Every structure is written in C-alpha cells, then in structure tokens.
C-alpha cells in the first residue's frame, strides 16, 4: 500500500490520510511528490497523473488499485481494516462523524484561502489581521469552535468522539492552522488542540514538515507581499 502525498509543510489534504494510516498503525509506504507548480505540464502534475486522473494528492494505491479524494480514502481504509475502528462504533456518532468530515471536506473555504497550512511558520500577526479584516474567516473559525466544543461535550473528550477517529485526522490540518496563526479559542478547544498536537502521528508529520526547508512563494502570499 502506497500513499502519494505533497509537501508535508503545505499539503493539508495529504496530511489527513497520512495521519489516519500512521495513528491507526496501518502499514504503508509514503511516496512524496514535491510541489513545484500546478500547471498541467509541471513535474508535480505529470507525476501525479500517473496514479490519479484527478491530478491531485493524496492518492492511495493498494495492490495497484488507486483511490483518490480524502473522504474516499478514509472510507476505503475503514472498510479494508474494520478491526481498527476508524469510525465511531455507535450508529448516531458514526453518522455525526461522517457529517462533520463532509462539512470540512466541502466547506470552510474562507479559512482555507486565508489560513494556508504552513507548519514551520509562526504568524500570529497575520492571523490577527485576517480575523480582523475578513468576517468570513471569523465565521469559519466560530463554526469550528462551536462544532468541536459540542462534540467534546457530547463524547467526553479528549478527542472529538472520545477515542481517535477519522474525524480527528480530518481536522488535524485545521489544528495546525490554528497554531500557526495563533487563533484564540476557549479552554476546552485549546485542550483538544493540544491533544491532537501530541498524537504520535501528528508529531511525526510535523517533524517531517520541519525537515523539508522548502519555500514556495505561491503557498505563502502573505510573505511574498511583505
């Protein structure tokens, strides 16, 4: 089983299935395709196209069978490894976990646009400015805080559904964004962020991101403008 990913520092989509596989102790081979550009003739696009017609990472390849899109990968792994209990066991909790993952997958576009994932950076001033100037980003943050708080209360923590699940893997890149941009959150959410940061898989991903030392100006418009 191979997982094709982009740069660990920048690729929030890649982080989700990587953390899921690693935290669930599912053996896989990491294949990194570093970002260079996203034009059709770029080295990145050419290489990814060999494994996925969508031309984007991540891509999971299991015995020659390719699965792309993070939700599809998560569902495939949940069915392939039922003993890992990647979704919550309770039917209603499982439905809620799928709902919040789908909400993350399809929404929060303002947060994605203005709070690009950049693990190696510390950008509290940028975070304050964006929250002050872009009401839609603050609305996304408020929704996430509301969602996480509700789930932590309902399931008792320390993670969204008590124990680790696909939902925590899906929100791990958001946690890294909140840390990078020093997003203010209430104590219960701060405790959740700390728990996710300390997951062995997230620690390992972070270590890999910090070792890359790549700078891509198209991933860091806030620095390019300075």
């Amino acid at each position: 089983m191979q997982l094709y990913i982009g740069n660990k520092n920048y690729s929030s989509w890649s982080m989700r299935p990587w953390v899921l596989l690693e935290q669930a102790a599912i053996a896989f081979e990491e294949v990194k395709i570093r970002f260079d550009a996203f034009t059709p003739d770029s080295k990145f696009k050419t290489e990814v196209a060999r494994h996925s017609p969508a031309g984007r990472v991540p891509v999971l390849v299991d015995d020659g069978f390719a699965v792309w899109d993070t939700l599809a990968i998560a569902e495939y792994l949940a069915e392939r490894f039922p003993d890992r209990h990647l979704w919550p066991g309770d039917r209603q909790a499982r439905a809620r976990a799928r709902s919040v993952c789908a909400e993350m997958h399809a929404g929060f576009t303002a947060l994605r646009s203005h709070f690009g994932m950049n693990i190696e950076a510390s950008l509290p001033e940028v975070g304050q400015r964006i929250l002050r100037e872009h009401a839609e980003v603050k609305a996304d943050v408020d929704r996430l805080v509301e969602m996480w708080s509700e789930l932590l209360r309902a399931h008792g923590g320390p993670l969204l559904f008590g124990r680790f699940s696909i939902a925590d893997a899906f929100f791990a890149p958001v946690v890294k964004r909140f840390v990078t941009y020093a997003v203010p959150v209430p104590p219960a959410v701060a405790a959740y962020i700390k728990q996710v940061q300390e997951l062995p898989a997230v620690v390992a991903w972070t270590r890999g991101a910090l070792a890359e030392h790549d700078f891509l100006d198209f991933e860091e418009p806030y620095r390019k403008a300075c």
Side-chain angles (χ1 to χ4, degrees):
M1 185 177 288
Q2 297 85 37
L3 182 68
Y4 290 81
I5 64 171
N7 292 52
K8 289 182 176 177
N9 191 51
Y10 298 122
S11 185
S12 59
W13 294 101
S14 298
M15 185 181 183
R16 292 184 174 98
W18 195 100
V19 165
L20 182 60
L21 285 159
E22 186 75 12
Q23 190 66 26
I26 298 170
F28 71 103
E29 176 190 358
E30 172 193 308
V31 184
K32 185 187 293 184
I33 306 174
R34 274 187 149 93
F35 295 160
D36 55 354
F38 299 128
T39 55
D41 60 346
S42 67
K43 182 178 179 182
F44 171 81
K45 283 290 190 181
T46 301
E47 179 62 22
V48 174
R50 294 177 55 227
H51 310 285
S52 165
R56 293 186 293 270
V57 287
V59 184
L60 181 74
V61 179
D62 186 15
D63 196 21
F65 178 74
V67 186
W68 57 92
D69 185 276
T70 52
L71 271 177
I73 292 170
E75 291 286 9
Y76 181 84
L77 292 172
E79 292 182 9
R80 176 86 159 74
F81 300 95
D83 60 309
R84 300 305 202 274
H85 307 290
L86 300 180
W87 289 117
D90 175 78
R91 184 177 67 252
Q92 290 187 350
R94 190 163 58 250
R96 183 57 50 84
R98 285 190 166 109
S99 295
V100 298
C101 286
E103 184 178 352
M104 182 70 248
H105 187 271
F108 301 101
T109 53
L111 183 139
R112 296 182 200 278
S113 298
H114 293 282
F115 282 168
M117 193 170 85
N118 190 339
I119 290 173
E120 63 85 21
S122 177
L123 303 167
E125 297 86 359
V126 173
Q128 291 170 17
R129 177 177 56 78
I130 288 172
L131 288 172
R132 186 171 61 249
E133 296 177 358
H134 296 276
E136 68 276 20
V137 178
K138 186 176 185 305
D140 280 353
V141 168
D142 290 347
R143 169 59 189 142
L144 285 161
V145 167
E146 175 191 49
M147 176 199 295
W148 291 350
S149 298
E150 177 185 328
L151 293 172
L152 291 167
R153 282 194 302 269
H155 301 282
L159 298 173
L160 294 180
F161 292 87
R163 61 187 295 279
F164 176 79
S165 73
I166 289 169
D168 300 299
F170 257 69
F171 287 106
V174 182
V175 163
K176 301 307 285 188
R177 286 173 161 102
F178 274 39
V179 172
T180 294
Y181 298 96
V183 176
V185 295
V189 172
Y192 172 67
I193 287 172
K194 184 174 185 292
Q195 285 289 329
V196 173
Q197 287 265 85
E198 292 176 352
L199 289 172
V202 174
V203 170
W205 178 275
T206 302
R207 187 183 307 118
L210 296 177
E212 287 177 342
H213 304 298
D214 289 341
F215 171 72
L216 300 173
D217 58 2
F218 57 84
E219 291 284 357
E220 305 196 31
Y222 37 80
R223 288 184 173 177
K224 189 178 179 182
C226 294

